[in-house]
Amino acid sequence: MQPNRKIRLAVIGATGSVGRATLDICRRFRETFDVVAVAARTNAQGLFTLATEFQSRYAYLQTPSTETIQKFQEKDIELLAGDDGLSSIASLDCVDHVVFASSGTDAIVPLKHALLANKNVSLANKESIVAAGPWIMPLVRRPDQLRPIDSEHSAIWQCLRDEPAKGVRKILLTASGGPFREWSLERMRHITPSDALKHPVWAMGAKITVDSATLMNKGIECIEAMQLFNLSPPAVGALIHPKSLVHGIVEFTDATMKLLLSQADMRLPAAAAIAWPERLPLSESFPLDFCVPSPQEWALTFSEPDHDRFPCLRLAIQAVEMGEAYPPLLVGADQFAVGAFLEGRIPFLMISNIIERTMERFSGCAPKSIEDAIALISEGERISAEVYSATGG
Ligand code: NDP
Ligand code: MG
């Protein structure tokens, strides 16, 4: 961090769960961060409130109304729009660091532009790396130019600092197990969207909350980790850890491990990413004391995921093994299936079923470009819609 100059940030997905967590850190450390630009998809009022609070010079909405454009103009905020607008936000000259905290896959091309413009990037959006990692990762020019915000990846990233790659034997991502960790398969037949949206530990957006309940989130995170840390399937695993205190574990070749432990709050990995190489003074706000409330409360338990009740984790690993077309296909199929579940069109247990059948049906080629990878996400959505229709939906 340069001592006399604020870090000039663009926050994409500013109105969402991770975006707000990141902005909370910026609010606490106004002398360190200048939020130059904020972006959301449709939440004009939420974005306007944030843009005026942080006195941002730029904002982005996908298709703002004339009235909205005028409202931003009156406050001297330049409002960008359309597909290219998001890439423009990600490569503004007056921005040092872009935070990708948007949901979905619209961030892929802006992420590419941010890296090409040599910005530092903090990345929460996992879909973009899972679908387009083979084209995004080669654009990273400097160590730590790309910093993960996803808590497990932030943990691994922090544990790997100053560690030579050849000393790493395995990395393990922890999962709370979600709200249905102890439910029988019979009981799981009757899961409603409101059951699935009650996560025991994390407060997150709807899509990722359902992905956490199916364990697809952990599967997607395993693929994300393979891309970020250049590892292959046997070297990346997942462990159920209901307390969500340990976020990631690195096992080294000399039979030692490093674990990263913190409160389960996305403000912490967001702070680690945007402030690197500094550590912000947050210990009073997020205290860790092994004797409070009692040492027993700190007992750490880990178990293997149950692949029979939660097949999505296995499907994600299979997608990597099946070839480069399958991770983007899986992202598209999961987007469709989670949407259909949230709209009450399919039962919870059918999410994995639709994804599995989409992967079986696909017979296309491996992607040769980032555009092909993006097209495969749409293909995953299209095939899964067909699979759904075939069930009489
Ligand atoms: P939310 O649903 O809470 O928020 C999504 C945000 O993205 C909103 O600000 C939304 O704007 C914005 N957005 C969506 N599409 C676009 C677009 N095309 N252009 C600009 N902004 C857009 O999601 P989360 O915060 O939960 O998740 C965000 C990402 O981070 C996901 O990829 C998720 O997997 C990942 N993640 C989330 C974690 C969490 O704890 N929530 C943890 C780790 C990773 P609008 O409000 O207008 O719709
Ligand atoms: Mg995570």
Side-chain angles (χ1 to χ4, degrees), residues 1-5 7 25 29 31-33 97 120 144 147 154 157-158 161 267-282:
M1 200 181 306
Q2 295 172 15
N4 298 320
R5 176 142 94 62
I7 297 172
I25 294 297
F29 297 96
E31 67 293 352
T32 306
F33 303 106
H97 190 133
N120 285 328
D144 297 311
R147 303 119 189 238
S154 170
W157 173 62
Q158 295 184 57
R161 279 186 190 168
R267 286 173 290 185
L268 297 172
I274 60 175
W276 189 90
E278 301 289 324
R279 289 207 180 259
L280 296 171
L282 288 165

PDB file of all heavy atoms in Angstrom, residues 1-5 7 25 29 31-33 97 120 144 147 154 157-158 161 267-282:
ATOM      1  N   MET A   1       0.842  -1.192   0.000  1.00  0.00           N
ATOM      2  CA  MET A   1       0.000   0.000   0.000  1.00  0.00           C
ATOM      3  C   MET A   1       0.882   1.248   0.000  1.00  0.00           C
ATOM      4  O   MET A   1       1.851   1.313   0.725  1.00  0.00           O
ATOM      5  CB  MET A   1      -0.862  -0.016   1.271  1.00  0.00           C
ATOM      6  CG  MET A   1      -2.072   0.848   1.188  1.00  0.00           C
ATOM      7  SD  MET A   1      -3.016   0.797   2.738  1.00  0.00           S
ATOM      8  CE  MET A   1      -3.259  -0.964   2.972  1.00  0.00           C
ATOM      9  N   GLN A   2       0.534   2.221  -0.832  1.00  0.00           N
ATOM     10  CA  GLN A   2       1.332   3.443  -0.853  1.00  0.00           C
ATOM     11  C   GLN A   2       0.859   4.336   0.298  1.00  0.00           C
ATOM     12  O   GLN A   2      -0.329   4.620   0.411  1.00  0.00           O
ATOM     13  CB  GLN A   2       1.154   4.150  -2.181  1.00  0.00           C
ATOM     14  CG  GLN A   2       1.713   3.338  -3.339  1.00  0.00           C
ATOM     15  CD  GLN A   2       1.347   3.961  -4.669  1.00  0.00           C
ATOM     16  OE1 GLN A   2       0.929   5.097  -4.729  1.00  0.00           O
ATOM     17  NE2 GLN A   2       1.506   3.200  -5.727  1.00  0.00           N
ATOM     18  N   PRO A   3       1.813   4.784   1.159  1.00  0.00           N
ATOM     19  CA  PRO A   3       1.395   5.445   2.389  1.00  0.00           C
ATOM     20  C   PRO A   3       0.585   6.712   2.170  1.00  0.00           C
ATOM     21  O   PRO A   3      -0.328   6.994   2.911  1.00  0.00           O
ATOM     22  CB  PRO A   3       2.716   5.742   3.106  1.00  0.00           C
ATOM     23  CG  PRO A   3       3.796   5.507   2.111  1.00  0.00           C
ATOM     24  CD  PRO A   3       3.247   4.650   1.035  1.00  0.00           C
ATOM     25  N   ASN A   4       0.898   7.468   1.102  1.00  0.00           N
ATOM     26  CA  ASN A   4       0.258   8.777   0.971  1.00  0.00           C
ATOM     27  C   ASN A   4      -0.883   8.819  -0.018  1.00  0.00           C
ATOM     28  O   ASN A   4      -1.443   9.852  -0.268  1.00  0.00           O
ATOM     29  CB  ASN A   4       1.303   9.834   0.599  1.00  0.00           C
ATOM     30  CG  ASN A   4       2.324   9.935   1.714  1.00  0.00           C
ATOM     31  OD1 ASN A   4       1.948   9.879   2.887  1.00  0.00           O
ATOM     32  ND2 ASN A   4       3.592   9.998   1.353  1.00  0.00           N
ATOM     33  N   ARG A   5      -1.154   7.703  -0.609  1.00  0.00           N
ATOM     34  CA  ARG A   5      -2.223   7.721  -1.608  1.00  0.00           C
ATOM     35  C   ARG A   5      -3.257   6.653  -1.269  1.00  0.00           C
ATOM     36  O   ARG A   5      -2.925   5.535  -0.929  1.00  0.00           O
ATOM     37  CB  ARG A   5      -1.627   7.454  -2.984  1.00  0.00           C
ATOM     38  CG  ARG A   5      -2.702   7.368  -4.028  1.00  0.00           C
ATOM     39  CD  ARG A   5      -2.324   7.992  -5.332  1.00  0.00           C
ATOM     40  NE  ARG A   5      -1.761   7.084  -6.306  1.00  0.00           N
ATOM     41  CZ  ARG A   5      -2.406   6.047  -6.814  1.00  0.00           C
ATOM     42  NH1 ARG A   5      -3.598   5.706  -6.397  1.00  0.00           N
ATOM     43  NH2 ARG A   5      -1.818   5.302  -7.731  1.00  0.00           N
ATOM     44  N   ILE A   7      -6.096   3.856  -1.908  1.00  0.00           N
ATOM     45  CA  ILE A   7      -6.307   2.842  -2.949  1.00  0.00           C
ATOM     46  C   ILE A   7      -7.648   3.153  -3.604  1.00  0.00           C
ATOM     47  O   ILE A   7      -8.678   3.237  -2.923  1.00  0.00           O
ATOM     48  CB  ILE A   7      -6.312   1.428  -2.320  1.00  0.00           C
ATOM     49  CG1 ILE A   7      -4.946   1.137  -1.696  1.00  0.00           C
ATOM     50  CG2 ILE A   7      -6.687   0.381  -3.354  1.00  0.00           C
ATOM     51  CD1 ILE A   7      -4.894  -0.132  -0.877  1.00  0.00           C
ATOM     52  N   ILE A  25     -15.861  -2.327   4.917  1.00  0.00           N
ATOM     53  CA  ILE A  25     -14.429  -2.143   5.224  1.00  0.00           C
ATOM     54  C   ILE A  25     -13.966  -0.767   4.732  1.00  0.00           C
ATOM     55  O   ILE A  25     -13.266  -0.035   5.436  1.00  0.00           O
ATOM     56  CB  ILE A  25     -13.591  -3.283   4.576  1.00  0.00           C
ATOM     57  CG1 ILE A  25     -13.942  -4.642   5.223  1.00  0.00           C
ATOM     58  CG2 ILE A  25     -12.087  -3.015   4.675  1.00  0.00           C
ATOM     59  CD1 ILE A  25     -13.632  -4.760   6.694  1.00  0.00           C
ATOM     60  N   PHE A  29     -12.341   2.428   6.888  1.00  0.00           N
ATOM     61  CA  PHE A  29     -10.972   2.896   6.622  1.00  0.00           C
ATOM     62  C   PHE A  29     -10.991   3.889   5.462  1.00  0.00           C
ATOM     63  O   PHE A  29     -10.372   3.673   4.415  1.00  0.00           O
ATOM     64  CB  PHE A  29     -10.054   1.692   6.327  1.00  0.00           C
ATOM     65  CG  PHE A  29      -9.941   0.753   7.493  1.00  0.00           C
ATOM     66  CD1 PHE A  29     -10.743  -0.381   7.565  1.00  0.00           C
ATOM     67  CD2 PHE A  29      -9.085   1.026   8.552  1.00  0.00           C
ATOM     68  CE1 PHE A  29     -10.671  -1.240   8.661  1.00  0.00           C
ATOM     69  CE2 PHE A  29      -9.006   0.172   9.645  1.00  0.00           C
ATOM     70  CZ  PHE A  29      -9.805  -0.963   9.710  1.00  0.00           C
ATOM     71  N   GLU A  31      -9.580   6.602   5.185  1.00  0.00           N
ATOM     72  CA  GLU A  31      -8.276   7.210   4.891  1.00  0.00           C
ATOM     73  C   GLU A  31      -7.441   6.292   3.992  1.00  0.00           C
ATOM     74  O   GLU A  31      -6.420   6.718   3.443  1.00  0.00           O
ATOM     75  CB  GLU A  31      -7.530   7.547   6.204  1.00  0.00           C
ATOM     76  CG  GLU A  31      -7.064   6.380   7.075  1.00  0.00           C
ATOM     77  CD  GLU A  31      -8.194   5.547   7.717  1.00  0.00           C
ATOM     78  OE1 GLU A  31      -9.378   5.935   7.638  1.00  0.00           O
ATOM     79  OE2 GLU A  31      -7.881   4.471   8.262  1.00  0.00           O
ATOM     80  N   THR A  32      -7.867   5.034   3.835  1.00  0.00           N
ATOM     81  CA  THR A  32      -7.098   4.084   3.028  1.00  0.00           C
ATOM     82  C   THR A  32      -7.733   3.837   1.657  1.00  0.00           C
ATOM     83  O   THR A  32      -7.039   3.612   0.676  1.00  0.00           O
ATOM     84  CB  THR A  32      -6.993   2.732   3.786  1.00  0.00           C
ATOM     85  OG1 THR A  32      -6.456   3.000   5.073  1.00  0.00           O
ATOM     86  CG2 THR A  32      -6.110   1.731   3.079  1.00  0.00           C
ATOM     87  N   PHE A  33      -9.083   3.842   1.626  1.00  0.00           N
ATOM     88  CA  PHE A  33      -9.769   3.473   0.369  1.00  0.00           C
ATOM     89  C   PHE A  33     -10.634   4.613  -0.162  1.00  0.00           C
ATOM     90  O   PHE A  33     -11.347   5.261   0.612  1.00  0.00           O
ATOM     91  CB  PHE A  33     -10.650   2.236   0.607  1.00  0.00           C
ATOM     92  CG  PHE A  33      -9.892   1.049   1.133  1.00  0.00           C
ATOM     93  CD1 PHE A  33     -10.010   0.656   2.459  1.00  0.00           C
ATOM     94  CD2 PHE A  33      -9.051   0.340   0.285  1.00  0.00           C
ATOM     95  CE1 PHE A  33      -9.296  -0.428   2.948  1.00  0.00           C
ATOM     96  CE2 PHE A  33      -8.336  -0.743   0.770  1.00  0.00           C
ATOM     97  CZ  PHE A  33      -8.454  -1.132   2.104  1.00  0.00           C
ATOM     98  N   HIS A  97      -7.802  -0.739  -8.387  1.00  0.00           N
ATOM     99  CA  HIS A  97      -8.138  -2.062  -7.886  1.00  0.00           C
ATOM    100  C   HIS A  97      -9.640  -2.310  -8.125  1.00  0.00           C
ATOM    101  O   HIS A  97     -10.461  -1.481  -7.738  1.00  0.00           O
ATOM    102  CB  HIS A  97      -7.826  -2.046  -6.380  1.00  0.00           C
ATOM    103  CG  HIS A  97      -7.885  -3.391  -5.730  1.00  0.00           C
ATOM    104  ND1 HIS A  97      -6.904  -3.835  -4.880  1.00  0.00           N
ATOM    105  CD2 HIS A  97      -8.795  -4.388  -5.779  1.00  0.00           C
ATOM    106  CE1 HIS A  97      -7.224  -5.044  -4.439  1.00  0.00           C
ATOM    107  NE2 HIS A  97      -8.366  -5.393  -4.977  1.00  0.00           N
ATOM    108  N   ASN A 120      -5.129  -4.255 -10.025  1.00  0.00           N
ATOM    109  CA  ASN A 120      -5.241  -5.298  -9.011  1.00  0.00           C
ATOM    110  C   ASN A 120      -6.708  -5.729  -8.984  1.00  0.00           C
ATOM    111  O   ASN A 120      -7.607  -4.910  -9.193  1.00  0.00           O
ATOM    112  CB  ASN A 120      -4.840  -4.763  -7.643  1.00  0.00           C
ATOM    113  CG  ASN A 120      -3.339  -4.600  -7.544  1.00  0.00           C
ATOM    114  OD1 ASN A 120      -2.590  -5.356  -8.158  1.00  0.00           O
ATOM    115  ND2 ASN A 120      -2.893  -3.605  -6.801  1.00  0.00           N
ATOM    116  N   ASP A 144       0.015 -12.011  -6.713  1.00  0.00           N
ATOM    117  CA  ASP A 144      -0.985 -11.322  -5.901  1.00  0.00           C
ATOM    118  C   ASP A 144      -1.723 -10.203  -6.637  1.00  0.00           C
ATOM    119  O   ASP A 144      -2.386  -9.391  -6.005  1.00  0.00           O
ATOM    120  CB  ASP A 144      -0.391 -10.813  -4.583  1.00  0.00           C
ATOM    121  CG  ASP A 144       0.090 -11.971  -3.733  1.00  0.00           C
ATOM    122  OD1 ASP A 144      -0.680 -12.921  -3.566  1.00  0.00           O
ATOM    123  OD2 ASP A 144       1.239 -11.935  -3.281  1.00  0.00           O
ATOM    124  N   ARG A 147      -6.499 -11.472  -6.138  1.00  0.00           N
ATOM    125  CA  ARG A 147      -6.652 -11.923  -4.751  1.00  0.00           C
ATOM    126  C   ARG A 147      -8.052 -12.482  -4.549  1.00  0.00           C
ATOM    127  O   ARG A 147      -9.038 -11.797  -4.828  1.00  0.00           O
ATOM    128  CB  ARG A 147      -6.468 -10.743  -3.786  1.00  0.00           C
ATOM    129  CG  ARG A 147      -5.137 -10.034  -3.925  1.00  0.00           C
ATOM    130  CD  ARG A 147      -5.352  -8.608  -4.316  1.00  0.00           C
ATOM    131  NE  ARG A 147      -4.099  -7.940  -4.662  1.00  0.00           N
ATOM    132  CZ  ARG A 147      -3.659  -6.852  -4.060  1.00  0.00           C
ATOM    133  NH1 ARG A 147      -4.351  -6.285  -3.102  1.00  0.00           N
ATOM    134  NH2 ARG A 147      -2.531  -6.304  -4.443  1.00  0.00           N
ATOM    135  N   SER A 154      -9.398 -17.390   0.073  1.00  0.00           N
ATOM    136  CA  SER A 154      -8.609 -16.385   0.779  1.00  0.00           C
ATOM    137  C   SER A 154      -7.741 -17.086   1.829  1.00  0.00           C
ATOM    138  O   SER A 154      -6.553 -16.762   1.990  1.00  0.00           O
ATOM    139  CB  SER A 154      -9.543 -15.371   1.453  1.00  0.00           C
ATOM    140  OG  SER A 154      -8.809 -14.555   2.315  1.00  0.00           O
ATOM    141  N   TRP A 157      -4.938 -18.864   0.045  1.00  0.00           N
ATOM    142  CA  TRP A 157      -4.028 -17.819  -0.483  1.00  0.00           C
ATOM    143  C   TRP A 157      -3.145 -17.278   0.648  1.00  0.00           C
ATOM    144  O   TRP A 157      -1.932 -17.123   0.492  1.00  0.00           O
ATOM    145  CB  TRP A 157      -4.893 -16.722  -1.111  1.00  0.00           C
ATOM    146  CG  TRP A 157      -4.185 -15.492  -1.560  1.00  0.00           C
ATOM    147  CD1 TRP A 157      -3.212 -15.409  -2.519  1.00  0.00           C
ATOM    148  CD2 TRP A 157      -4.402 -14.156  -1.072  1.00  0.00           C
ATOM    149  NE1 TRP A 157      -2.830 -14.088  -2.666  1.00  0.00           N
ATOM    150  CE2 TRP A 157      -3.540 -13.299  -1.797  1.00  0.00           C
ATOM    151  CE3 TRP A 157      -5.252 -13.579  -0.132  1.00  0.00           C
ATOM    152  CZ2 TRP A 157      -3.491 -11.926  -1.599  1.00  0.00           C
ATOM    153  CZ3 TRP A 157      -5.213 -12.214   0.060  1.00  0.00           C
ATOM    154  CH2 TRP A 157      -4.344 -11.395  -0.652  1.00  0.00           C
ATOM    155  N   GLN A 158      -3.745 -17.049   1.802  1.00  0.00           N
ATOM    156  CA  GLN A 158      -2.956 -16.513   2.925  1.00  0.00           C
ATOM    157  C   GLN A 158      -2.004 -17.577   3.479  1.00  0.00           C
ATOM    158  O   GLN A 158      -0.871 -17.274   3.855  1.00  0.00           O
ATOM    159  CB  GLN A 158      -3.883 -15.979   4.010  1.00  0.00           C
ATOM    160  CG  GLN A 158      -4.689 -14.769   3.536  1.00  0.00           C
ATOM    161  CD  GLN A 158      -5.547 -14.158   4.631  1.00  0.00           C
ATOM    162  OE1 GLN A 158      -5.041 -13.759   5.675  1.00  0.00           O
ATOM    163  NE2 GLN A 158      -6.846 -14.093   4.405  1.00  0.00           N
ATOM    164  N   ARG A 161       1.270 -17.957   1.343  1.00  0.00           N
ATOM    165  CA  ARG A 161       2.242 -16.862   1.208  1.00  0.00           C
ATOM    166  C   ARG A 161       3.646 -17.353   1.540  1.00  0.00           C
ATOM    167  O   ARG A 161       3.854 -17.983   2.586  1.00  0.00           O
ATOM    168  CB  ARG A 161       1.881 -15.725   2.156  1.00  0.00           C
ATOM    169  CG  ARG A 161       0.791 -14.864   1.582  1.00  0.00           C
ATOM    170  CD  ARG A 161       0.545 -13.670   2.457  1.00  0.00           C
ATOM    171  NE  ARG A 161      -0.661 -13.006   1.982  1.00  0.00           N
ATOM    172  CZ  ARG A 161      -1.298 -12.056   2.646  1.00  0.00           C
ATOM    173  NH1 ARG A 161      -0.841 -11.660   3.812  1.00  0.00           N
ATOM    174  NH2 ARG A 161      -2.382 -11.509   2.163  1.00  0.00           N
ATOM    175  N   ARG A 267     -16.454  -9.779   5.577  1.00  0.00           N
ATOM    176  CA  ARG A 267     -15.662  -8.548   5.635  1.00  0.00           C
ATOM    177  C   ARG A 267     -14.175  -8.874   5.832  1.00  0.00           C
ATOM    178  O   ARG A 267     -13.306  -8.108   5.401  1.00  0.00           O
ATOM    179  CB  ARG A 267     -16.176  -7.649   6.769  1.00  0.00           C
ATOM    180  CG  ARG A 267     -17.500  -7.006   6.401  1.00  0.00           C
ATOM    181  CD  ARG A 267     -18.104  -6.260   7.533  1.00  0.00           C
ATOM    182  NE  ARG A 267     -18.580  -7.149   8.587  1.00  0.00           N
ATOM    183  CZ  ARG A 267     -19.247  -6.752   9.656  1.00  0.00           C
ATOM    184  NH1 ARG A 267     -19.509  -5.468   9.828  1.00  0.00           N
ATOM    185  NH2 ARG A 267     -19.659  -7.617  10.543  1.00  0.00           N
ATOM    186  N   LEU A 268     -13.889 -10.026   6.467  1.00  0.00           N
ATOM    187  CA  LEU A 268     -12.480 -10.352   6.742  1.00  0.00           C
ATOM    188  C   LEU A 268     -11.717 -10.752   5.478  1.00  0.00           C
ATOM    189  O   LEU A 268     -10.658 -10.165   5.200  1.00  0.00           O
ATOM    190  CB  LEU A 268     -12.405 -11.413   7.846  1.00  0.00           C
ATOM    191  CG  LEU A 268     -12.971 -10.902   9.182  1.00  0.00           C
ATOM    192  CD1 LEU A 268     -13.063 -12.016  10.206  1.00  0.00           C
ATOM    193  CD2 LEU A 268     -12.118  -9.760   9.716  1.00  0.00           C
ATOM    194  N   PRO A 269     -12.227 -11.717   4.685  1.00  0.00           N
ATOM    195  CA  PRO A 269     -11.483 -11.980   3.437  1.00  0.00           C
ATOM    196  C   PRO A 269     -11.499 -10.793   2.477  1.00  0.00           C
ATOM    197  O   PRO A 269     -10.525 -10.571   1.742  1.00  0.00           O
ATOM    198  CB  PRO A 269     -12.194 -13.205   2.838  1.00  0.00           C
ATOM    199  CG  PRO A 269     -13.489 -13.337   3.557  1.00  0.00           C
ATOM    200  CD  PRO A 269     -13.311 -12.694   4.900  1.00  0.00           C
ATOM    201  N   ALA A 270     -12.581  -9.991   2.506  1.00  0.00           N
ATOM    202  CA  ALA A 270     -12.605  -8.801   1.631  1.00  0.00           C
ATOM    203  C   ALA A 270     -11.494  -7.845   2.061  1.00  0.00           C
ATOM    204  O   ALA A 270     -10.752  -7.307   1.221  1.00  0.00           O
ATOM    205  CB  ALA A 270     -13.969  -8.114   1.696  1.00  0.00           C
ATOM    206  N   ALA A 271     -11.340  -7.653   3.371  1.00  0.00           N
ATOM    207  CA  ALA A 271     -10.298  -6.749   3.877  1.00  0.00           C
ATOM    208  C   ALA A 271      -8.909  -7.281   3.523  1.00  0.00           C
ATOM    209  O   ALA A 271      -8.025  -6.524   3.085  1.00  0.00           O
ATOM    210  CB  ALA A 271     -10.435  -6.601   5.392  1.00  0.00           C
ATOM    211  N   ALA A 272      -8.714  -8.599   3.689  1.00  0.00           N
ATOM    212  CA  ALA A 272      -7.396  -9.188   3.384  1.00  0.00           C
ATOM    213  C   ALA A 272      -7.036  -8.927   1.923  1.00  0.00           C
ATOM    214  O   ALA A 272      -5.881  -8.639   1.593  1.00  0.00           O
ATOM    215  CB  ALA A 272      -7.412 -10.690   3.672  1.00  0.00           C
ATOM    216  N   ALA A 273      -8.054  -9.034   1.038  1.00  0.00           N
ATOM    217  CA  ALA A 273      -7.789  -8.880  -0.396  1.00  0.00           C
ATOM    218  C   ALA A 273      -7.506  -7.426  -0.770  1.00  0.00           C
ATOM    219  O   ALA A 273      -6.518  -7.137  -1.450  1.00  0.00           O
ATOM    220  CB  ALA A 273      -8.981  -9.411  -1.200  1.00  0.00           C
ATOM    221  N   ILE A 274      -8.358  -6.506  -0.315  1.00  0.00           N
ATOM    222  CA  ILE A 274      -8.183  -5.127  -0.817  1.00  0.00           C
ATOM    223  C   ILE A 274      -7.026  -4.412  -0.129  1.00  0.00           C
ATOM    224  O   ILE A 274      -6.474  -3.466  -0.671  1.00  0.00           O
ATOM    225  CB  ILE A 274      -9.494  -4.284  -0.754  1.00  0.00           C
ATOM    226  CG1 ILE A 274     -10.031  -4.146   0.676  1.00  0.00           C
ATOM    227  CG2 ILE A 274     -10.542  -4.847  -1.685  1.00  0.00           C
ATOM    228  CD1 ILE A 274     -11.256  -3.230   0.782  1.00  0.00           C
ATOM    229  N   ALA A 275      -6.653  -4.851   1.070  1.00  0.00           N
ATOM    230  CA  ALA A 275      -5.575  -4.149   1.790  1.00  0.00           C
ATOM    231  C   ALA A 275      -4.198  -4.754   1.549  1.00  0.00           C
ATOM    232  O   ALA A 275      -3.199  -4.132   1.877  1.00  0.00           O
ATOM    233  CB  ALA A 275      -5.867  -4.151   3.282  1.00  0.00           C
ATOM    234  N   TRP A 276      -4.132  -6.002   0.994  1.00  0.00           N
ATOM    235  CA  TRP A 276      -2.837  -6.668   0.845  1.00  0.00           C
ATOM    236  C   TRP A 276      -1.792  -5.720   0.256  1.00  0.00           C
ATOM    237  O   TRP A 276      -2.115  -4.995  -0.665  1.00  0.00           O
ATOM    238  CB  TRP A 276      -2.993  -7.908  -0.054  1.00  0.00           C
ATOM    239  CG  TRP A 276      -1.752  -8.736  -0.071  1.00  0.00           C
ATOM    240  CD1 TRP A 276      -1.424  -9.763   0.764  1.00  0.00           C
ATOM    241  CD2 TRP A 276      -0.638  -8.563  -0.963  1.00  0.00           C
ATOM    242  NE1 TRP A 276      -0.178 -10.239   0.442  1.00  0.00           N
ATOM    243  CE2 TRP A 276       0.332  -9.520  -0.599  1.00  0.00           C
ATOM    244  CE3 TRP A 276      -0.346  -7.687  -2.002  1.00  0.00           C
ATOM    245  CZ2 TRP A 276       1.550  -9.643  -1.252  1.00  0.00           C
ATOM    246  CZ3 TRP A 276       0.877  -7.787  -2.664  1.00  0.00           C
ATOM    247  CH2 TRP A 276       1.812  -8.764  -2.287  1.00  0.00           C
ATOM    248  N   PRO A 277      -0.556  -5.675   0.713  1.00  0.00           N
ATOM    249  CA  PRO A 277       0.093  -6.552   1.698  1.00  0.00           C
ATOM    250  C   PRO A 277      -0.069  -6.081   3.148  1.00  0.00           C
ATOM    251  O   PRO A 277       0.561  -6.672   4.034  1.00  0.00           O
ATOM    252  CB  PRO A 277       1.562  -6.501   1.287  1.00  0.00           C
ATOM    253  CG  PRO A 277       1.723  -5.141   0.694  1.00  0.00           C
ATOM    254  CD  PRO A 277       0.412  -4.773   0.073  1.00  0.00           C
ATOM    255  N   GLU A 278      -0.883  -5.056   3.374  1.00  0.00           N
ATOM    256  CA  GLU A 278      -1.111  -4.608   4.758  1.00  0.00           C
ATOM    257  C   GLU A 278      -2.156  -5.495   5.419  1.00  0.00           C
ATOM    258  O   GLU A 278      -2.983  -6.099   4.742  1.00  0.00           O
ATOM    259  CB  GLU A 278      -1.650  -3.172   4.770  1.00  0.00           C
ATOM    260  CG  GLU A 278      -0.753  -2.158   4.111  1.00  0.00           C
ATOM    261  CD  GLU A 278       0.502  -1.894   4.922  1.00  0.00           C
ATOM    262  OE1 GLU A 278       0.410  -1.901   6.156  1.00  0.00           O
ATOM    263  OE2 GLU A 278       1.568  -1.700   4.312  1.00  0.00           O
ATOM    264  N   ARG A 279      -2.139  -5.534   6.762  1.00  0.00           N
ATOM    265  CA  ARG A 279      -3.248  -6.137   7.503  1.00  0.00           C
ATOM    266  C   ARG A 279      -3.941  -5.010   8.261  1.00  0.00           C
ATOM    267  O   ARG A 279      -3.281  -4.251   8.965  1.00  0.00           O
ATOM    268  CB  ARG A 279      -2.759  -7.230   8.446  1.00  0.00           C
ATOM    269  CG  ARG A 279      -2.286  -8.473   7.687  1.00  0.00           C
ATOM    270  CD  ARG A 279      -2.439  -9.724   8.525  1.00  0.00           C
ATOM    271  NE  ARG A 279      -1.992 -10.911   7.813  1.00  0.00           N
ATOM    272  CZ  ARG A 279      -2.814 -11.780   7.227  1.00  0.00           C
ATOM    273  NH1 ARG A 279      -4.111 -11.596   7.232  1.00  0.00           N
ATOM    274  NH2 ARG A 279      -2.324 -12.849   6.634  1.00  0.00           N
ATOM    275  N   LEU A 280      -5.242  -4.887   8.073  1.00  0.00           N
ATOM    276  CA  LEU A 280      -5.983  -3.794   8.700  1.00  0.00           C
ATOM    277  C   LEU A 280      -6.234  -4.102  10.177  1.00  0.00           C
ATOM    278  O   LEU A 280      -6.345  -5.276  10.559  1.00  0.00           O
ATOM    279  CB  LEU A 280      -7.328  -3.596   7.983  1.00  0.00           C
ATOM    280  CG  LEU A 280      -7.224  -3.147   6.521  1.00  0.00           C
ATOM    281  CD1 LEU A 280      -8.590  -3.197   5.851  1.00  0.00           C
ATOM    282  CD2 LEU A 280      -6.632  -1.748   6.429  1.00  0.00           C
ATOM    283  N   PRO A 281      -6.323  -3.084  11.017  1.00  0.00           N
ATOM    284  CA  PRO A 281      -6.582  -3.320  12.449  1.00  0.00           C
ATOM    285  C   PRO A 281      -8.053  -3.658  12.698  1.00  0.00           C
ATOM    286  O   PRO A 281      -8.872  -2.779  12.924  1.00  0.00           O
ATOM    287  CB  PRO A 281      -6.197  -1.987  13.099  1.00  0.00           C
ATOM    288  CG  PRO A 281      -6.329  -0.979  12.008  1.00  0.00           C
ATOM    289  CD  PRO A 281      -6.101  -1.667  10.705  1.00  0.00           C
ATOM    290  N   LEU A 282      -8.382  -4.953  12.648  1.00  0.00           N
ATOM    291  CA  LEU A 282      -9.781  -5.387  12.774  1.00  0.00           C
ATOM    292  C   LEU A 282     -10.014  -6.286  13.979  1.00  0.00           C
ATOM    293  O   LEU A 282     -11.124  -6.772  14.193  1.00  0.00           O
ATOM    294  CB  LEU A 282     -10.191  -6.139  11.491  1.00  0.00           C
ATOM    295  CG  LEU A 282     -10.380  -5.249  10.255  1.00  0.00           C
ATOM    296  CD1 LEU A 282     -10.404  -6.084   8.984  1.00  0.00           C
ATOM    297  CD2 LEU A 282     -11.660  -4.432  10.379  1.00  0.00           C
TER     298      LEU A 282
END
